[in-house]
Amino acid sequence: MSGFSSSSVAGRDIVALEGVTKRFPGIVANDSVDLSIRPGEVHVLLGENGAGKSTLIGMLSGLQQPDEGRILVDGKPTPITSPRHALALGIGTVFQHMMLVPTLTVAENLLLGGPWWQRPRTEELAARVAEITGTLGITVKLQAKVSELSLGEQQQVEILRAMLRNSRLLILDESTSMLTPKGIDELGALMRRLVEQGLAIVFITHKLKEAAAFGDRISVLKLGRKVGEIPPERFRALGEQEIVAEIVELMFGKQKDDPEAVERPVRTARAGAAPLLQVADLAVAPTDNAPGLSSISFDIRPGEILGIAGIDGNGQKQLAEALAGQRTATSGSVRLDGAAIETLSVGERRRRGLRYLTDDRLGEGTVGTFPVSINFFLKQVGAAPFWRNGVEQRAEIDKRATQLVREYDVRTPSLKTPVARLSGGNIQKVLLARELAEGAKVVIFNKPTYGLDLANTLASRQRIRDTAARGLAVLLISTDLEELLGMCDRIAVIANGALVGTVENVDDARTKVGRLMIGLAA
Amino acid sequence: KSIAILTPEEGTDYGWNQQGIDAAKAAGKAAGVEVVVAQGLGYGDVRPTLRELASDGASLLIAHASGYNTSAPEIAKELKVPVAIVDTPAGLEKGLVADYTLSGHEGAYLAGRLAAKVSRSKSVGIVVSGEPPSWNSQSAAFAQGVKAENPDVKITYAVIGPAAYSDAAGGKRVTESVIASGADIIFGQGNGSSFGMLQAVETTKAADGGKVYFIDVIGDKTPIDKGFLLSSVVWNIEPVYAAMIADLKADTFGTKHYTIGLKDDSVKLLKTAAIPDNVWTEIQALREDVISGKIKVEPVYDAAAVRALMTSVAQ
Amino acid sequence: MTGLFSEVFLSALLFGAVTAAIPLLLAGLGEQISEKAGVLNIGIEGMMLAGAYLGFVGAFYSGSLWLGFLTGAAGGAAVALVMALLCVRIGLNQIVIGIALTLGLEGLTALLHHFQFSRSYPRLPAADATVIPLLSDIPVIGPAFFKHHLIVYLAVALVFGMGYIYRRTQLGLNLQAAGDKPAALDVAGIDVVRTRTIAVLTTGALAGLGGAYLANVGAGLFIPFITNGAGFLGIVLAMLARGRPIWVLFGALLFGVCLSLTTAMQVAGINIPTDIIQMLPFLAVMIMLVLFGRRASLPAALGIPYERGAR
Amino acid sequence: MSIDTAPTVSATALDATSGAATRRDIAHRLLMTLGPIFIALVIAGCILLAVGVDPLAYYGFVLEKGLFSPLGIQQTLTRMAPLLFLAAGLIVAFRAGMWNLGGDGQFLLGAVTAAASAPVFVQIMPAWLALFCSFLIAMVVAMIWSLVPALLRAYQGVNEIITTLMMTFLGTSLANVLVKLAFRDPNTTVPQTRTLPVEDRLPRLFETTITSGLLLGLAAIVIVHLVMTRTAFGLKLRIVGANPRAAVHSGLGVPGLTVAVFAISAGLAGLAGAVDIIGVQGNVRADWNPAYGLAVIPAVFLARMNGFAAIGFVFLLSVLSIGGESAARRLGVPNHFTLVLVSIVLIVLAVAEYFDHRYSQSRRT
Ligand SMILES: Nc1ncnc2c1ncn2[C@@H]1O[C@H](COP(=O)(O)OP(=O)(O)OP(=O)(O)O)[C@@H](O)[C@H]1O
Ligand SMILES: Nc1ncnc2c1ncn2[C@@H]1O[C@H](COP(=O)(O)OP(=O)(O)OP(=O)(O)O)[C@@H](O)[C@H]1O
Ligand SMILES: [Mg+2]
Ligand SMILES: [Mg+2]
């Protein structure tokens, strides 16, 4: 498995794809893609949601076989038949979706794959992990159950696992999506060190700045086709701004300045208006694998966006669930438009206008095997006009679903497609459409742009701003500080299940929030 | 002209089903009528089979299981075909329904006397897989026989367990326990599970280190015996069926009850080499007494009554 | 009490409890492996029947119990092979195939028995016991627990063996991953299908062994439907045990003891209808379920066929 | 997620495709059912040959006695009535992701209560009302019996496979005890309940021996199908089945729905028992357990929990059991062969469905 030194000559492809095509029912996920992956390079793959990036990775890591075209390893055509084969070829992958066994400990997950008769070699592992984490600047709790870790921590474990394998090609599929800004920078530095040692890296991200900062070569996919490439020579010649501009052009075909540039929110909050959502002293008991909440208090006025910043796993999900009614609070009060709702059921809260857009799109947000159309109305089952006297009105459902698909630009082969077959961004659009439907007063967004491509991210953000502009109260939970700074009126920081401070989003908000996040007073 | 017999299990059980089928064949042969055998029908709904046999031209349907005594008379009325059922004395209907309630209790009584006589440990066991009426009457009569012979003989009564008809392992396990409680003679009743009882008897030693003997019912397991079969309360149903056929011809079908008993040897105790000759002579004398009515053996069909009897005789 | 419940009788009851527990234990341990690896093996009753039949055939014709156990295990594994091919390899519904296999083997073994043994009803001689020195001299307990056929001790040892495998080996990790998150196992370079196949085959072998024990030692003979739902009880025990082999042992013993208790109560002349007494073993398990069944966490991927790269 | 999701694995295709079935579709379905059955018959035929029986003669009798003779088809249709109710109950449970494997226990308790009540009721009220009340009681008793697994599952998360399996062992014993101790007919030595006179049972259809229970069964399964696929309630149950966490997130009262699913499923199983007793049997004997449930479970899965397809599979099972019994008797094979035949048919059907699926997948891309 290991034993590849850095002797491979820079400039020659470790792995190359030639005319690779992959089809799924109703869609061509990759359409004659050529790609060359070289040692000493960070090859950035860009593309909107559903462009086919992960599918490409799937073929490189042996999960899927191309329908046409071939893969060359060290210049020789090599069908990569299984993940085991890929590992043996020195290809290590961090997948977009978590690939850890939740019921095993971190150490056991890292050891998975050893010879079956052996005892897991824990001591050996601990030593090697210490070595790697030292250079990475992260800490992992080897004895912790994976299910007890936050998504961010899990992502670190996955990166660590890929490193442990001595791969000569390391693939990172959206591995920064759950990391803190500091973590992202560290990962960037690490990638740099690794390619200097002669590794090849494929790095997938939706953040153009990361692409520009960490990459050597960029390939852009669109609708399964490779639409452009910036080779290292050009890459080095261009500045960050120019690279971003060029990528944007490749991806969207239109010129635009830094699209992610912070736009100051239009102040729509009516300072005098009574708060729409009032939370006082909310507390939730901790469970085996989740922290509790203690004395959470805040108000949100109509038209206001309150951000919740914090490192993932500090109680954000618990807060959202407690507000939505999915998790029982031990004490405290929640008032919606003045009326106490803390004892109401999930359904009743929703009927009163409280909406919750979950971050777990496939786990709880949708029923993956059900058609897209039905998933739009998952929270309205039985309501008119889609059901009359309890009987489904398929025509009404399809009519409205068609409308929503158009309005929210959901890319789906048909209304009947099982929603799980859509790409992450399109699933998110289904959820947005569902939560922003008539009657919303307060909307909780939990990591609304996680995993979304640039266009979808911008569109989602615009939806959120529009929501606030319509006079709704918005609670925006995000681990992306830029996003919060760009959107919110105020930002509260959560740590260990408690709000440690709230900051008006004015000039020096960034430093204040940053200080709060690392445990200093604002 | 043909007659048909329906049995719940295959006719290879050295017991109820085999005795029924063999008897029907013999009676049919004697009367010169064809015999159709429908075996292994289970205890579910046999109406389809009854209807089919009737439509195939059977002029008598022998429903050889107490489980068939609701369906068979119904079909008899529906298709006007005579049926014979068991365990339903109240069900007689002229020309249509005849009942043969078979009880080997007289034979079981003798078996009890026999067991008490030959038991070395003065302790005998009754193991049954379930508690249907025909077994109850034999269990009770056996116990009465034992006590009549020697009130000091201990009787251990055990029902095997849930769904025990084919629970051979359960039969063996319970029988072993009963042997461990001191019994050196086992009176066993059970379908498939009785082979487990037999196995237990063959492989377990009595408290005194000697052989344990088995007393079987209904059929004759001599062909598969390994020297542990003491006796069996053998039923011979042929006279019953022969009488039915005769009644059918004489147009008197459905007017009388058919039974079996010691007097015409339709119930008899099996003589094996394991029974000492003098004991056998004594038993034969007792047989005469039962036939003559000097000894009265009343059948007890109810499970609760049987258990009550067991507890009272056990003290 | 003293008169009726002699030492000999008590130890015979306990001995019977152990004998009744062993097939359940083996079936439960077997089912546990499959479940751990994510396969709900409903066909275990059929595997036990195959084991019972072939085990008996092997022992009867060769005269060797050990050979019987071997053929029994092979018979169970052969049925499991069908299950593995259909449910693991090509991903057919595990319930459909499991029940179909159970029905089929009920019929097939009854059929074979009919043509082969239904005239002779052959029976095996008593299984010879391995007497454990010293321990077997303890009154009541000794003869009840320490005078069994060697296979019984091996079965109990297997409990600890399985515990070791589950907690201390890579294989244990693989099995658990195959049940909880097969995709993670796959990308770690371990073939999920192969892991599950091994698990199902082991299940079959253990269930077959359990069936062979039931026929050869428990009953000393084979008759149709001899297992009488033991396989389904094995499923219950495996689920109740939540992945820990020792609980399968406790559950199986509890069930066996309850069975013996029903005999004891009858012999003691307690005049409760036997039908009510006989509900005892099931009631005992049901009560265990009510008390300990809480959140009986099953593997996340249980019952779901694994297909690489599927969405 | 837990095991709950498993039954929906096969529901996937159903929910994904749906829509109106074209005529070609139906022809295809028919081919994909009859083809495998033919293959299964060939395989089973080899076993028959091995035991020295002429397979053609055997199948001839199966078809004649199970399907093509007037008597046979009547028997087959009569046999279907309880199976249809059982299948309907299983469809509800499986679509909602609950593995109710306790059908036999619920069936028997329903049967026993119907058998105990009907003969009494017919004496004190009009026959139709009496039978209706008996059906009702049977249903309610079975529902109550399912309460233990339902509550354990809904509020304690206890897996229902274990509880329903155990409850079926217990229910079988309890039904037995009830027959022997509570509802025993004092006029017979055989432990059984009082017998409902033939003329008071469900009427037969026209001049045949087919029970009108068949119509009730067909109605039940069609209603269940429509409720599950066309109504809000059915959709709620399917959401719970497909993704319980999504159900919670969507504000569905999952515990309540869980209890409802068990109640409906068990109630239908109880009705199955009642329809068998009130329609055909007339009484329940001690130790009676036809164990219909076991073979119906795979049939419902093969039907992908679609009511109409389930009717077809139940029909097939009935033909095989009625015809198989007759054929076995005529040719001297033990009746157990029917089990082997049913098993082979189920397996080959499942395999054929897989290859069909694979084929259509590869054609679509
Ligand atoms: N197993 C599958 N079955 C069916 N369709 C699939 C499958 N895997 C991917 N697809 C489809 O192929 C297309 C490409 O998906 P892919 O996951 O490669 O996109 P991506 O570029 O990684 O998007 P994202 O940025 O959202 O992760 C999508 O339309 C997706 O719906
Ligand atoms: N295009 C659609 N619009 C709305 N709902 C749909 C659509 N397609 C499928 N569904 C949902 O899927 C469910 C299940 O479909 P299924 O195929 O079981 O029903 P069906 O095809 O209507 O029934 P039948 O087989 O009787 O025709 C539907 O009842 C509905 O809830
Ligand atoms: Mg992707
Ligand atoms: Mg349809």
Side-chain angles (χ1 to χ4, degrees), chain A residues 273-351:
Chain A
L276 258 181
L277 184 71
Q278 293 166 284
V279 179
D281 278 329
L282 189 70
V284 166
T287 60
D288 295 344
N289 46 22
L293 295 179
S294 54
S295 51
I296 302 265
S297 304
F298 60 83
D299 293 345
I300 313 179
R301 289 187 296 277
E304 188 180 32
I305 302 178
L306 173 67
I308 302 283
I311 295 162
D312 195 37
N314 270 288
Q316 289 97 326
K317 185 150 189 95
Q318 287 68 30
L319 174 59
E321 289 186 348
L323 293 177
Q326 281 174 238
R327 194 177 281 267
T328 36
T330 41
S331 67
S333 75
V334 181
R335 291 175 171 277
L336 179 76
D337 219 356
I341 58 165
E342 64 267 7
T343 55
L344 300 182
S345 69
V346 174
E348 191 50 41
R349 290 184 203 201
R350 179 181 162 88
R351 268 186 290 284

Side-chain angles (χ1 to χ4, degrees), chain A residues 466-480:
Chain A
D466 294 347
T467 306
R470 271 161 47 204
L472 277 65
V474 172
L475 183 69
L476 175 60
I477 301 172
S478 178
T479 45
D480 183 343

Side-chain angles (χ1 to χ4, degrees), chain A residues 78-159:
Chain A
T78 315
I80 304 177
T81 50
S82 68
R84 181 179 201 86
H85 188 194
L87 292 174
L89 290 170
I91 303 173
T93 310
V94 177
F95 291 91
Q96 182 175 5
H97 301 285
M98 290 303 158
M99 287 294 187
L100 298 172
V101 184
T103 53
L104 294 180
T105 65
V106 171
E108 287 167 334
N109 265 287
L110 294 174
L111 288 163
L112 209 56
W116 62 268
W117 61 87
Q118 272 180 5
R119 290 192 56 152
R121 305 204 166 151
T122 326
E123 303 76 23
E124 209 173 293
L125 176 81
R128 292 212 47 209
V129 165
E131 204 177 295
I132 295 172
T133 47
T135 61
L136 251 173
I138 53 171
T139 50
V140 288
K141 303 174 250 175
L142 280 181
Q143 294 318 316
K145 272 240 170 78
V146 164
S147 59
E148 292 161 10
L149 302 185
S150 72
L151 290 177
E153 287 172 304
Q154 292 183 19
Q155 203 155 47
Q156 292 178 354
V157 174
E158 295 225 56
I159 296 168

Side-chain angles (χ1 to χ4, degrees), chain D residues 5-22:
Chain D
T5 46
T8 58
V9 172
S10 41
T12 312
L14 189 87
D15 277 323
T17 52
S18 111
T22 64

Side-chain angles (χ1 to χ4, degrees), chain A residues 371 373-374 387 392-394 397-398 415-416, chain D residues 13-21 95 225-226 228-231 235 238 306 308:
Chain A
S373 56
I374 293 290
W387 281 266
E392 184 175 284
Q393 305 296 313
R394 205 167 280 181
I397 290 180
D398 284 357
L415 284 185
K416 290 183 181 174
Chain D
L14 189 87
D15 277 323
T17 52
S18 111
R95 283 228 186 207
H225 179 83
L226 293 179
M228 291 311 289
T229 57
R230 296 271 197 275
T231 67
L235 180 59
R238 284 189 289 135
N306 178 304
F308 297 107

